Amino acid sequence: KQEVTQIPAALSVPEGENLVLNCSFTDSAIYNLQWFRQDPGKGLTSLLLIQSSQREQTSGRLNASLDKSSGRSTLYIAASQPGDSATYLCAVMRARQLTFGSGTQLTVLP
Amino acid sequence: DAGITQSPRHKVTETGTPVTLRCHQTENHRYMYWYRQDPGHGLRLIHYSYGVKDTDKGEVSDGYSVSRSKTEDFLLTLESATSSQTSVYFCAISESSSGGQTYEQYFGPGTRLTVT
């Protein structure tokens, strides 16, 4: 059974800092990996999708990497802003199903 | 934003009552999913559909049934609601490749269900 772990569970940083969120998974036979953002009381917003054949994807201040062989992905956020405060979830796709990590709750302090 | 709506957005019901949640999409995507989100358990897949009348079970399907009679609608039914089914329910959609694998998933706003 696929297991997805996100460390740390919570992170608090001052505004302007660059930060890295980590995601690890136990079964490397994945089709893709997706990073989401969730604001309190809201649904999930897709941030980045990395196909299994790709090493990284970038969108604005966000950069996600994937090392399938080691079962790891990172989400890099540059020049963090208070508006980045949210819970960040990673999820891996295999056999038509997404398995989610429990998320990292990020707080960016003004 | 992907065109996904869920109804109702909030519902309170009593134990033993049947409940149906609706997910509606305007994107004509082939795949539709139902998840539940609970503190300490994260998001877990209940059921999914890969076409009209084609459905399959997810990780936590016991006590739930689904139906998809049209591309745009995916219904989740709790035949006899229990307190353990109190949760936030999310619908998601995605398109698929010719090989049957799925692309990026897009989520609806969620339905908060309380079973008393």
Side-chain angles (χ1 to χ4, degrees), chain A residues 21-76:
Chain A
L21 306 181
N22 297 294
C23 172
S24 62
F25 46 94
T26 54
D27 186 344
S28 62
I30 63 170
Y31 184 70
N32 61 45
L33 183 145
Q34 200 167 350
W35 281 94
F36 295 89
R37 167 188 173 136
Q38 186 174 30
D39 293 289
K42 304 291 186 181
L44 278 68
T45 300
S46 179
L47 297 174
L48 288 164
L49 173 75
I50 310 178
Q51 300 291 351
S52 61
S53 58
Q54 298 176 320
R55 297 284 295 183
E56 65 179 275
Q57 280 286 343
T58 298
S59 176
R61 294 183 293 110
L62 305 180
N63 177 276
S65 68
L66 174 63
D67 184 343
K68 206 173 72 161
S69 61
S70 68
R72 294 182 181 180
S73 176
T74 61
L75 179 67
Y76 174 83

Side-chain angles (χ1 to χ4, degrees), chain A residues 1 31-32 34 36 38 41-44 46-49 51 89 93-98 100-102, chain B residues 30-31 33 35 37 43 45 48 50 57-59 90 97 100-109 112:
Chain A
K1 178 187 174 186
Y31 184 70
N32 61 45
Q34 200 167 350
F36 295 89
Q38 186 174 30
K42 304 291 186 181
L44 278 68
S46 179
L47 297 174
L48 288 164
L49 173 75
Q51 300 291 351
L89 298 153
M93 168 67 73
R94 184 170 183 264
R96 302 175 173 178
Q97 299 190 26
L98 270 181
F100 282 83
S102 53
Chain B
R30 180 182 174 192
Y31 281 78
Y33 308 81
Y35 294 88
Q37 186 174 36
L43 273 148
L45 181 66
Y48 69 98
Y50 47 97
K57 296 179 180 180
E59 179 186 356
F90 288 101
S97 69
Q101 292 292 346
T102 60
Y103 295 139
E104 196 166 2
Q105 285 197 18
Y106 300 96
F107 279 71
R112 185 172 296 275

Side-chain angles (χ1 to χ4, degrees), chain B residues 7-49:
Chain B
S7 58
R9 294 293 313 281
H10 301 272
K11 186 169 182 66
V12 180
T13 191
E14 294 184 348
T15 298
T17 304
V19 176
T20 296
L21 309 182
R22 180 181 183 239
C23 177
H24 179 79
Q25 62 150 327
T26 58
E27 306 295 323
N28 200 35
H29 283 0
R30 180 182 174 192
Y31 281 78
M32 299 185 76
Y33 308 81
W34 278 108
Y35 294 88
R36 60 178 290 175
Q37 186 174 36
D38 305 287
H41 291 279
L43 273 148
R44 293 176 293 174
L45 181 66
I46 304 171
H47 281 281
Y48 69 98
S49 169

Side-chain angles (χ1 to χ4, degrees), chain A residues 88-108:
Chain A
Y88 290 79
L89 298 153
C90 73
V92 295
M93 168 67 73
R94 184 170 183 264
R96 302 175 173 178
Q97 299 190 26
L98 270 181
T99 302
F100 282 83
S102 53
T104 294
Q105 186 173 0
L106 173 65
T107 302
V108 181

